Amino acid sequence: MLRLRVRRRNNLRSYLQKVKTCLPRGVVTDAAEAARRDRSGEKDERRTLDTLLLQRHEQAERSVLIGCQSRTNEKKFLKFLSKHGDIKKHFFYETYGTYAVVEFSSREGVSSLLDSAAIPSVSHEATVPFKSRLLSLRNLSVVDSLSQKPGLQCQPQTSVPINKLIQKLSREESVDRQITSLTDVHQLTEENSRLRFLVCSLLRDVAAAYFPECSIKPFGSSVNGFGKLGCDLDMFLDLDGIAGWNLKMPKSGLFLEYQMKRANSERAVTQSILSVIGECVDQFGPGCVGVQKILNARCPLVRFAHQPSGFQCDLTANNRVAMKSTELLYLYGELDPRVRRLVFTVRCWARAHSITSTIPGAWITNFSLTVMVLFFLQKRSPPIIPTLDHLQELAGPADRCVIDGNNCTFVSDFGKIELQSNTETLEKLLSDFFEFYAVFPFNTASISIRKGKEQNKPEVAPLHIQNPFETSLNVSKNVNATQLDRFVALCQESAWLFQQSKSVSPRGSDTPAPWGLATLLLPSQVTGVKSPKRRRREPASERIKGLLESLKSKNQGKS
Ligand code: CTP
Ligand code: MG
């Protein structure tokens, strides 16, 4: 993109002016970078998700995962591996043991390395001789067992615990800095992202035993820009790329087609593919444990833990709509730096108060929360991000995409998207987010990022969030009234708390008292309301009741 629009430029400049006083020297924000690009007339290098996926995929295919020991001598280790080819990048990390991700410059390096690897001989057990790019280092001479040197430097793969985060945030100088800092701590690192693609690539090797042309792609928070260190790895087994799908039948003469088994429905095909691949992952997949086949779910999946990476994995097939919603979320996150920061903050706040959970249940999911934040940003005046309908209007012929009758078309060229001049700070947005949902008419209204406006609720579910592409579906169908009540009560409390604590900027202490965003992550008084019998909202104290009244009258004043 050669030009960011003038309005966008003004938007970024005034936004930056507001936040720059809070930034330590040398820190370049996404917005600062965009404004710099803008001034210099430089091309916008933001990559589409497709480009990013391709690059990462290719990188992963040239990489191997090697279990080693924490006292491995890094120099000797690299020298040993370099015999097989140039090493482009490597890093170490710890999960259930120490591992190295090693990226070779070419695939030949990987082939040569694999050719030199032995099948383990174990005395009491037998091994399944399935060869993969998950290896173990067994050469003792590269281990500094007696060395006094510290072990390998490992890249962290999990985010900091909540109490440490609260301390860190309390030391920041402004709420906007707190929000930026929280995002920096939580978002996926370069290394973690590489590891996710490598796990997909390793799994593809298993699936390729049946479908040599298949690919396995990550989707969801691993790639949509909203992933937190430690989030699950959602994968999609893609068979659309195999040759022969769209081969045109000649008008005359001979031609061949494959003889293939037939099934009653696409769903039945997906189930049988996942059943076999799931079995294969269970029986032969190195490092894959606890495999469960959940084939009767709306979206059939195979769930397992990949021990060497520490990822909880969900493998689906025929899930192209979810790929599109991943692409959409990624695009929204790239449009304005405030989008990701606000989503990270709200997700972290929700996790800290058990509004969300990694265990499936009646909780609001991270995906639902993300859509709620996007909707809120569309409702600002002027809006910070456009509606999905608008993104669809901007789409070109190449963007056209219909999946199972669902129109999933939206523009992919960032350059075509005009942003309006909204200069609100993150502090203001976070505060208004809580106020917005503290009084949102959940009883009657559905949240739709397609329209950017409340819609009439088509069903009686407590929380209705329209699926952006499968518009007849409710993303938050699982949420019950108790969980929604907890969310609303927490929004009320947080709106009040934030007003009380956001201006207290501590100075001169190593362990300052929590303030601003940090206060919102402390245990709450109202979310302890856990009894399933308590269906009605009961504010924890008079002050929250008062807040609710003031928010209601404020809201009435607006309308
Ligand atoms: N998805 C969907 N409809 C749902 C749930 C999920 O379309 N009701 C899609 C979304 O694209 C979502 C992806 O499936 O991003 C993965 O779902 P999930 O793992 O629940 O959410 P994530 O966004 O990956 O968030 P988390 O970090 O909690 O895993
Ligand atoms: Mg996920």
Side-chain angles (χ1 to χ4, degrees):
M1 189 185 84
L2 283 166
R3 71 212 141 80
L4 283 166
R5 308 289 305 237
V6 176
R7 274 195 289 173
R8 177 179 166 80
R9 182 160 53 216
N10 292 339
N11 174 5
L12 281 169
R13 282 204 182 124
S14 16
Y15 171 62
L16 281 170
Q17 254 155 21
K18 287 201 172 189
V19 296
K20 77 177 178 192
T21 45
C22 324
L23 292 176
R25 283 154 73 100
V27 170
V28 181
T29 61
D30 304 350
E33 175 55 22
R36 187 194 60 72
R37 258 196 326 250
D38 206 17
R39 280 194 300 275
S40 65
E42 238 173 71
K43 195 168 180 238
D44 183 353
E45 298 288 353
R46 282 179 298 179
R47 291 170 293 182
T48 62
L49 185 60
D50 270 355
T51 324
L52 185 91
L53 290 181
L54 262 168
Q55 266 175 13
R56 289 277 188 218
H57 168 78
E58 202 267 326
Q59 227 169 37
E61 298 232 305
R62 288 184 280 103
S63 304
V64 293
L65 186 53
I66 306 179
C68 41
Q69 292 177 24
S70 62
R71 300 223 154 257
T72 299
N73 180 314
E74 187 170 355
K75 246 184 170 170
K76 285 185 197 165
F77 176 65
L78 292 177
K79 196 173 164 203
F80 165 70
L81 296 179
S82 310
K83 282 189 235 149
H84 299 280
D86 281 345
I87 294 170
K88 212 164 167 193
K89 175 163 171 110
H90 76 283
F91 65 90
F92 298 92
Y93 69 89
E94 265 173 338
T95 46
Y96 301 93
T98 306
Y99 286 87
V101 171
V102 181
E103 182 200 346
F104 282 92
S105 301
S106 73
R107 288 197 200 189
E108 284 71 42
V110 175
S111 313
S112 164
L113 185 82
L114 294 186
D115 286 346
S116 75
I119 293 178
S121 54
V122 270
S123 45
H124 302 300
E125 295 167 304
T127 43
V128 178
F130 178 82
K131 290 183 173 177
S132 79
R133 282 173 289 142
L134 172 59
L135 303 152
S136 298
L137 184 70
R138 292 287 180 230
N139 190 335
L140 292 175
S141 67
V142 296
V143 176
D144 285 339
S145 52
L146 298 173
S147 157
Q148 291 305 305
K149 277 194 287 179
L152 290 166
Q153 207 179 359
C154 288
Q155 298 295 328
Q157 304 299 317
T158 49
S159 55
V160 298
I162 190 79
N163 53 342
K164 287 249 168 67
L165 179 68
I166 289 173
Q167 281 172 19
K168 183 175 165 55
L169 298 186
S170 303
R171 285 194 289 269
E172 296 293 353
E173 288 174 351
S174 70
V175 173
D176 276 52
R177 271 300 310 164
Q178 291 185 322
I179 293 177
T180 306
S181 176
L182 178 143
T183 309
D184 292 345
V185 166
H186 276 315
Q187 68 193 354
L188 300 185
T189 57
E190 158 74 16
E191 286 77 17
N192 193 269
S193 191
R194 277 171 177 261
L195 187 56
R196 286 172 188 268
F197 278 83
L198 179 51
V199 172
C200 289
S201 177
L202 296 177
L203 207 66
R204 194 211 86 95
D205 292 347
V206 178
Y210 291 93
F211 303 105
E213 295 168 276
C214 75
S215 61
I216 291 190
K217 296 173 177 159
F219 70 97
S221 60
S222 294
V223 283
N224 66 15
F226 300 111
K228 180 185 163 214
L229 280 172
C231 69
D232 69 353
L233 173 56
D234 302 296
M235 291 175 282
F236 161 56
L237 171 69
D238 189 2
L239 294 169
D240 285 354
I242 69 176
W245 277 121
N246 296 318
L247 220 57
K248 286 237 165 72
M249 229 189 278
K251 293 222 167 78
S252 60
L254 302 175
F255 86 102
L256 290 172
E257 64 177 23
Y258 290 98
Q259 287 196 18
M260 286 177 165
K261 282 220 175 211
R262 279 156 207 264
N264 291 336
S265 62
E266 285 275 344
R267 181 175 166 82
V269 174
T270 303
Q271 285 171 324
S272 70
I273 291 173
L274 283 179
S275 173
V276 171
I277 303 293
E279 203 54 44
C280 206
V281 168
D282 193 17
Q283 305 288 334
F284 305 147
C288 302
V289 298
V291 180
Q292 297 171 59
K293 295 194 245 173
I294 309 170
L295 302 179
N296 287 325
R298 187 184 74 79
C299 181
L301 70 133
V302 176
R303 177 165 288 169
F304 59 95
H306 185 258
Q307 256 186 351
S309 62
F311 296 143
Q312 186 63 38
C313 301
D314 278 352
L315 176 67
T316 59
N318 196 9
N319 196 6
R320 282 174 298 145
V321 180
M323 277 310 280
K324 283 309 277 189
S325 54
T326 299
E327 206 181 311
L328 179 69
L329 261 51
Y330 176 82
L331 184 137
Y332 275 131
E334 286 285 292
L335 286 182
D336 186 297
R338 287 170 292 179
V339 178
R340 281 202 183 117
R341 291 177 188 164
L342 202 61
V343 170
F344 269 103
T345 305
V346 170
R347 282 166 85 139
C348 177
W349 161 84
R351 186 71 194 92
H353 296 289
S354 309
I355 289 289
T356 51
S357 167
T358 47
I359 309 158
W363 336 102
I364 300 178
T365 63
N366 278 326
F367 180 58
S368 295
L369 273 179
T370 306
V371 178
M372 287 168 97
V373 175
L374 296 179
F375 180 74
F376 163 75
L377 294 174
Q378 290 175 333
K379 295 274 296 178
R380 303 308 292 167
S381 179
I384 293 182
I385 49 169
T387 65
L388 176 53
D389 272 351
H390 183 63
L391 295 178
Q392 195 171 314
E393 283 160 20
L394 297 175
D399 297 321
R400 202 180 135 66
C401 173
V402 177
I403 301 169
D404 302 332
N406 300 300
N407 191 347
C408 302
T409 306
F410 61 92
V411 64
S412 58
D413 179 357
F414 293 111
K416 287 190 189 166
I417 306 169
E418 280 181 47
L419 296 182
Q420 300 198 42
S421 183
N422 179 310
T423 57
E424 289 168 299
T425 60
L426 287 163
E427 177 181 322
K428 168 86 177 129
L429 291 172
L430 185 61
S431 162
D432 284 6
F433 172 87
F434 295 132
E435 294 191 8
F436 181 77
Y437 283 113
V439 293
F440 189 83
F442 287 108
N443 283 343
T444 53
S446 159
I447 291 168
S448 161
I449 57 165
R450 185 163 269 286
K451 302 275 170 226
K453 273 194 222 127
E454 290 84 353
Q455 303 292 298
N456 286 336
K457 226 162 131 176
E459 54 184 78
V460 284
L463 175 60
H464 195 278
I465 303 175
Q466 187 189 50
N467 186 309
F469 296 117
E470 294 169 291
T471 51
S472 62
L473 298 181
N474 175 9
V475 164
S476 51
K477 202 177 166 180
N478 61 312
V479 177
N480 64 18
T482 311
Q483 291 306 323
L484 179 63
D485 284 355
R486 293 183 63 230
F487 172 77
V488 173
L490 191 65
C491 282
Q492 291 163 5
E493 187 192 52
S494 297
W496 185 87
L497 266 178
F498 204 34
Q499 274 173 22
Q500 303 306 304
S501 63
K502 66 186 175 187
S503 54
V504 189
S505 181
R507 291 189 196 265
S509 160
D510 280 349
T511 49
W515 71 279
L517 174 58
T519 323
L520 303 185
L521 304 179
L522 294 169
S524 144
Q525 295 179 34
V526 295
T527 51
V529 183
K530 276 192 180 142
S531 163
K533 285 181 199 145
R534 263 171 107 169
R535 298 224 140 223
R536 294 196 61 77
R537 232 177 278 138
E538 291 185 5
S541 66
E542 286 305 312
R543 61 162 214 246
I544 291 165
K545 254 192 221 163
L547 170 78
L548 183 60
E549 288 312 315
S550 77
L551 289 177
K552 272 190 182 148
S553 51
K554 202 169 152 189
N555 211 42
Q556 275 156 8
K558 275 183 199 162
S559 56

